[in-house]
Amino acid sequence: MSSVLVAGAGGFIGGHLVAYLRKQGIKNIRAVDLKPLKEWYQKFDDVENHQLDLRELEACRKAAKGMEWIYNLAADMGGMGFIELHKAECMLSVLINTHLLMAAKEAGAKRFFYASSACVYAADKQTTTENPGLKESDAYPAMPEDGYGWEKLFSERMCRHFREDYKLETRIVRYHNVYGPHGTYDGGREKAPAAICRKVIEAQKNKTGEIEIWGDGQQTRSFMYIDDCIKGSTEIMESDIREPINLGSAEMVSINQLVDIAEGIAGVKLKRKYNLGAPKGVRGRSSDNALIQKLMGWEPNTRLKDGLSKTYAWIKGEMDF
Ligand code: NAD
């Protein structure tokens, strides 16, 4: 690969991907995001940086021109608090992927990566806390997360048909909750690990001694550390894995256990206040990693305790505490 476009490079995963590709010695990297450059989580001056709205076809043409490999990590998204209340905005990301696929085809790109999500999985497979792990086949019959999940499932399908009909090699990865430094931790788009770290830090800073938890805290999830996400994403991009594949941790914890870990890192014990009216998503979700193990002989394996310690330290530094 000699030229790489990272769409959504001002965001959490996109920023880490650009950092990784630079370290790999790739010289021709184009980084694109909707946000003004000063708001990007990570920005590198030796990379070609552009602020573009990739919902527009012309902007996608500019972004894709001359690029051999294209990673699409751009989407209007956030944690449950955002996607449950902004369904139309989430669905409009369909414009980004559609126009970027069209531009990639026109530009003669060799490979196209699409960041899908565990939110494509059918709701009836996630009704209990003891989720055995979602298999790739659990996406159909389709009943994904309303709004955000439908957009992801549709865009997965569009990637497949661009590959079949136009011979554009596409790779589709279903991320399960990614966390780590240089990501959103406040403002309404943050996800559970960053939100919990921030709340634990705030409780100490403001000496409240308590923490608000969305739901009853018994809902279960798995969380993948960013380094595993980047390793998996780049290796899947380079592989011949053409069908959608899970990229997530199989270390399932309840939200209460996530709070236990964050409290342990901080060395505090807080009184828990459960907000049962807050957005809480499905009851139980984890990643079944049999397919990635079979095809790659590896699965995301950073222990939650280790990844969360690094994330906590970064957020604490950002909050100047
Ligand atoms: P993020 O919000 O940090 O990054 C997405 C970036 O896309 C943002 O910087 C945003 O400004 C940019 N963007 C939005 N609209 C745009 C537009 N019209 N034109 C150009 N750029 C635009 O999110 P992230 O966590 O880095 O997620 C990256 C991708 O991975 C997304 O597609 C997301 O849906 C997917 N994903 C993430 C997770 C996770 O846990 N982080 C889980 C599942 C799937």
Side-chain angles (χ1 to χ4, degrees):
M1 117 194 67
S2 64
S3 52
V4 187
L5 166 66
V6 179
F12 168 48
I13 301 173
H16 282 278
L17 179 62
V18 173
Y20 174 84
L21 294 171
R22 281 174 73 251
K23 277 201 195 129
Q24 295 304 105
I26 295 162
K27 298 275 177 267
N28 191 356
I29 302 172
R30 187 174 294 156
V32 172
D33 203 283
L34 177 68
K35 291 189 292 201
L37 297 185
K38 62 177 177 3
E39 291 174 23
W40 292 22
Y41 290 125
Q42 300 188 67
K43 186 173 73 64
F44 305 94
D45 293 336
D46 56 354
V47 163
E48 195 190 318
N49 296 312
H50 297 277
Q51 183 189 0
L52 289 170
D53 182 350
L54 296 173
R55 285 168 297 193
E56 307 289 338
L57 178 57
E58 269 319 306
C60 288
R61 285 184 170 132
K62 266 189 211 156
K65 195 170 175 207
M67 294 288 115
E68 287 184 337
W69 285 33
I70 295 178
Y71 283 91
N72 179 15
L73 296 156
D76 200 352
M77 61 88 66
M80 280 320 298
F82 181 80
I83 65 177
E84 278 199 4
L85 302 172
H86 300 83
K87 297 194 175 85
E89 274 168 74
C90 289
M91 291 206 80
L92 282 170
S93 294
V94 76
L95 294 174
I96 302 175
N97 198 58
T98 306
H99 287 147
L100 206 49
L101 276 170
M102 290 168 68
K105 172 180 167 266
E106 280 175 26
K110 296 204 166 63
R111 262 179 206 211
F112 187 99
F113 177 98
Y114 179 60
S116 186
S117 163
C119 287
V120 300
Y121 285 116
D124 63 358
K125 303 265 175 22
Q126 306 172 78
T127 54
T128 65
T129 54
E130 298 88 28
N131 195 310
L134 293 155
K135 293 188 291 296
E136 284 75 2
S137 55
D138 288 334
Y140 295 97
M143 188 44 72
E145 178 77 36
D146 201 5
Y148 178 72
W150 277 108
E151 190 277 322
K152 290 288 183 197
L153 199 61
F154 176 87
S155 291
E156 280 191 1
R157 213 71 195 173
M158 178 112 61
C159 288
R160 175 193 183 132
H161 295 305
F162 266 66
R163 176 172 60 74
E164 289 175 350
D165 295 357
Y166 303 134
K167 311 298 172 219
L168 171 61
E169 278 297 324
T170 54
R171 301 289 180 264
I172 302 158
V173 163
R174 291 179 182 156
Y175 291 144
H176 289 245
N177 283 307
V178 191
Y179 72 98
H182 300 286
T184 312
Y185 63 88
D186 64 1
R189 287 177 186 257
E190 64 277 19
K191 298 186 158 213
I196 298 293
C197 288
R198 188 204 73 229
K199 288 179 185 183
V200 169
I201 295 164
E202 278 171 353
Q204 296 171 88
K205 220 175 167 178
N206 304 330
K207 301 189 170 54
T208 60
E210 58 180 37
I211 183 168
E212 184 194 62
I213 296 172
W214 287 6
D216 63 6
Q218 290 169 37
Q219 65 272 35
T220 50
R221 294 290 184 277
S222 70
F223 302 99
M224 169 171 56
Y225 189 58
I226 185 68
D227 291 0
D228 289 339
C229 172
I230 297 300
K231 173 180 162 65
S233 300
T234 50
E235 289 187 7
I236 291 165
M237 179 66 147
E238 287 164 25
S239 77
D240 55 5
I241 302 169
R242 292 168 142 185
E243 295 300 321
I245 184 165
N246 278 334
L247 188 57
S249 165
E251 183 188 350
M252 191 170 77
V253 292
S254 68
I255 297 300
N256 278 326
Q257 288 169 321
L258 178 67
V259 177
D260 291 342
I261 296 172
E263 286 177 339
I265 294 164
V268 292
K269 201 79 199 141
L270 302 168
K271 184 167 180 283
R272 299 180 187 188
K273 279 177 35 193
Y274 294 98
N275 179 352
L276 302 180
K280 41 198 171 287
V282 295
R283 192 67 179 146
R285 172 179 289 169
S286 183
S287 180
D288 179 308
N289 288 345
L291 187 63
I292 193 169
Q293 270 291 2
K294 183 174 154 216
L295 298 179
M296 292 175 53
W298 172 84
E299 64 183 293
N301 53 16
T302 303
R303 289 188 326 158
L304 181 57
K305 193 166 165 280
D306 299 336
L308 205 67
S309 297
K310 293 181 191 162
T311 310
Y312 181 91
W314 178 79
I315 295 175
K316 198 172 164 190
E318 291 293 298
M319 290 174 70
D320 199 17
F321 177 64

